[in-house]
């Protein structure tokens, strides 16, 4: 199971689970490497629909500005273009939803508790 190793886990907020649960693509702004960590757990992200190179940016302000540029780029697209892009990432959206629904929550919680108790 991809969710059992917590030694180097970023703590993902509920903000990432909400779009996955609701079948939505997302731009996730968090610590450096957050998208990489999601992909390690088996989730799919939305490059090239979204330029995700911001995930490697160490400077917080530069990372934020990069995300802002991506949001502005999406806002400037017309409805037809956005629809085509959305349809192109539907397999990723469905994959993420299924992955989230099917992971073993009990095992996830037990492993997290064991990790905390070993500190």
């Amino acid at each position: 199971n991809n969710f059992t190793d917590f030694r180097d886990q970023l703590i993902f907020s509920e903000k990432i689970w909400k779009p996955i649960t609701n079948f939505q693509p997302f731009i996730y702004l968090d610590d450096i490497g957050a998208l990489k960590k999601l992909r390690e757990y088996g989730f799919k992200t939305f490059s090239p629909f979204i330029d995700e190179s911001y995930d490697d940016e160490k400077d917080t302000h530069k990372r934020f500005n990069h995300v802002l540029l991506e949001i502005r780029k999406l806002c400037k697209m017309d409805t037809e273009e956005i629809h085509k892009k959305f349809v192109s990432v539907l397999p990723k959206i469905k994959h993420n939803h299924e992955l989230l629904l099917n992971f073993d929550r009990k095992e996830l919680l037990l492993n997290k508790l064991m990790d905390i108790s070993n500190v």
Side-chain angles (χ1 to χ4, degrees):
N1 188 318
N2 290 334
F3 295 92
T4 57
D5 186 9
F6 290 95
R7 294 181 201 348
D8 62 343
Q9 175 187 349
L10 289 169
I11 304 300
F12 295 112
S13 74
E14 76 287 350
K15 291 174 185 77
I16 191 59
W17 307 126
K18 187 174 180 178
I20 292 172
T21 302
N22 292 310
F23 295 94
Q24 298 169 335
F26 52 83
I27 295 176
Y28 188 55
L29 179 60
D30 202 328
D31 289 334
I32 185 172
L35 289 175
K36 180 181 178 187
K37 185 56 66 180
L38 272 175
R39 288 189 295 270
E40 287 175 10
Y41 288 144
F43 290 96
K44 296 183 187 262
T45 58
F46 300 98
S47 180
F49 175 46
I50 296 164
D51 176 0
E52 296 176 336
S53 62
Y54 67 86
D55 193 49
D56 297 324
E57 178 56 59
K58 293 177 183 176
D59 183 285
T60 304
H61 295 290
K62 288 180 182 177
R63 191 167 57 250
F64 177 83
N65 286 329
H66 186 132
V67 167
L68 186 58
L69 289 173
E70 284 304 299
I71 292 169
R72 287 181 176 155
K73 182 177 78 175
L74 293 170
C75 289
K76 290 179 182 177
M77 290 182 186
D78 64 38
T79 306
E80 185 176 319
E81 187 176 5
I82 283 286
H83 179 74
K84 285 180 183 177
K85 298 266 187 190
F86 179 79
V87 169
S88 75
V89 297
L90 271 174
K92 291 180 178 184
I93 291 169
K94 290 176 183 177
H95 167 85
N96 289 344
H97 189 262
E98 286 297 314
L99 185 61
L100 184 61
L101 288 180
N102 291 318
F103 79 89
D104 188 339
R105 289 168 182 81
K106 186 182 285 186
E107 181 181 350
L108 176 69
L109 180 59
L110 288 174
N111 285 328
K112 186 61 175 174
L113 291 172
M114 292 295 289
D115 190 50
I116 291 170
S117 68
N118 289 329
V119 173

